[in-house]
Amino acid sequence: MAKQSGGGGDGDGGGGDGAFEVAKVSNLNCIDLSSSDLHQSVALLKQACLDCGFFYVINHGISREFMEEVFEQSRRFFDLPAAEKMKLLRNEKHRGYTPLLDELLDPGNQLHVGDYKEGYYIGVEVPEDDPEAQKPFYGPNVWPASEILPGWRETMEKYHQKALEVAKSVARIIALALDLEIDFFDKPEMLGKSIATLRLLHYGGEVSDPSQGLYGAGAHSDYGLITLLATDDVLGLQICKDKDANPCVWEYVAPVKGAFIVNLGDMLERWSNCIFKSTLHRVLGNGQQRYSIAYFVEPSHDCLVECLPSCKSDDNPPKFPPIKCGTYLSQRYSDTHTDLNTYRAGQT
């Protein structure tokens, strides 16, 4: 088992003899949202999007003190007894608690079980009597009782709003990198009425072993436009820059204090006609508990995702048919999550 630099502990080591591949730490571009040099920011982001689809974002406007508060509130939830957490089991709109093994991201390699992580989904809050709540990813959230976790809802709602502003800032730089108008993604049908989903994640300290199909999170690419990831200081996230490589070459992404790790999703890869990459990534557990907070940003339900004019030509025609965002996301979630009837059957 090899020690890895840049993270909060040892690198991966599996069961048996622990002799699977030793991954290096990836060197990613860093985008400073406070920089006045927009040209440099666009150049750095474009290079990252062409290379691997992952980069850091710093000076994003969310204070470290508030981020620490969000992580503390996340830990408080996951520390609750299992029975209390199951009372908040995710619903059909993917709001609420996702138990250990609920998600199966890489069925080709996760032969027996799902991901060794638990999570909690928080989406765009829409009252049940609002017509918009009929859409698959809009509606009321599932919240722990305030007497059990005082201040929890308020902290998460505040973070949800702040993270969306960061995502919009990043999307403006992406638009320029794709030779679009800077406000391309600000339109109402895009991030003006976005599907933005916050997901708290907890990896309980299991040791991953790829040779046995055991992962904190199986290899996958994200579904939407972009993802903002905040992590603690425990190393675990890995990326494969070339998803067509066989075998995949995995590199760790080191946590950077106060920074977001940002990655592109499949929807942006479709939009850009594969010019920008949606990159395979996974999480390996190394025996330490690990907490992270993912913020998935997608356009509105009715947004038609089709090849951008700046990304097609006679020599490079569109590779994907147009598809509505809500339709695409619903199918991807259905493919990777346990059928809720499984849990209901266990309660009868």
Side-chain angles (χ1 to χ4, degrees), residues 210-259:
S211 70
Q212 299 297 317
L214 302 176
Y215 301 88
H220 66 286
S221 54
D222 289 350
Y223 315 147
L225 181 64
I226 59 172
T227 303
L228 309 181
L229 182 72
T231 75
D232 61 14
D233 62 356
V234 176
L235 202 63
L237 175 65
Q238 292 186 332
I239 63 174
C240 173
K241 291 183 178 180
D242 181 2
K243 57 187 170 189
D244 296 323
N246 187 16
C248 282
V249 177
W250 294 99
E251 300 178 12
Y252 277 107
V253 176
V256 173
K257 199 75 172 175

Side-chain angles (χ1 to χ4, degrees), residues 66-80 120 144 146 148-156 200 291 293:
F66 181 60
M67 287 303 309
E68 288 169 4
E69 179 185 342
V70 178
F71 272 99
E72 179 55 32
Q73 291 281 27
S74 176
R75 291 186 195 97
R76 287 176 62 204
F77 172 77
F78 290 119
D79 283 345
L80 291 175
Y120 200 94
S146 58
I148 295 176
L149 293 175
W152 200 88
R153 173 175 179 170
E154 292 76 11
T155 297
M156 297 306 163
L200 310 175
Y291 294 86
I293 301 168

Side-chain angles (χ1 to χ4, degrees), residues 123-235:
V124 177
E125 181 75 23
V126 177
E128 203 161 2
D129 58 357
D130 188 315
E132 290 283 287
Q134 300 305 309
K135 295 179 177 178
F137 294 95
Y138 281 172
N141 282 299
V142 175
W143 297 108
S146 58
E147 57 268 24
I148 295 176
L149 293 175
W152 200 88
R153 173 175 179 170
E154 292 76 11
T155 297
M156 297 306 163
E157 287 185 323
K158 181 179 177 183
Y159 181 74
H160 196 290
Q161 293 166 0
K162 285 180 173 290
L164 183 57
E165 291 309 308
V166 176
K168 287 179 177 179
S169 296
V170 174
R172 292 178 190 118
I173 303 175
I174 290 173
L176 293 175
L178 287 168
D179 298 321
L180 303 167
E181 294 296 321
I182 191 170
D183 61 352
F184 178 84
F185 292 110
D186 286 331
K187 299 171 186 174
E189 68 271 22
M190 294 195 186
L191 298 187
K193 289 189 175 179
S194 63
I195 301 171
T197 304
L198 166 61
R199 194 178 189 195
L200 310 175
L201 293 163
H202 172 229
Y203 301 85
E206 293 81 8
V207 175
S208 297
D209 185 352
S211 70
Q212 299 297 317
L214 302 176
Y215 301 88
H220 66 286
S221 54
D222 289 350
Y223 315 147
L225 181 64
I226 59 172
T227 303
L228 309 181
L229 182 72
T231 75
D232 61 14
D233 62 356
V234 176
L235 202 63

Side-chain angles (χ1 to χ4, degrees), residues 13-15 20 101 109-116 206-218 282-285:
F20 55 84
L101 308 180
N109 288 307
Q110 291 173 277
L111 302 180
H112 307 294
V113 296
D115 291 355
Y116 276 96
E206 293 81 8
V207 175
S208 297
D209 185 352
S211 70
Q212 299 297 317
L214 302 176
Y215 301 88
R282 68 185 187 182
V283 174
L284 297 189

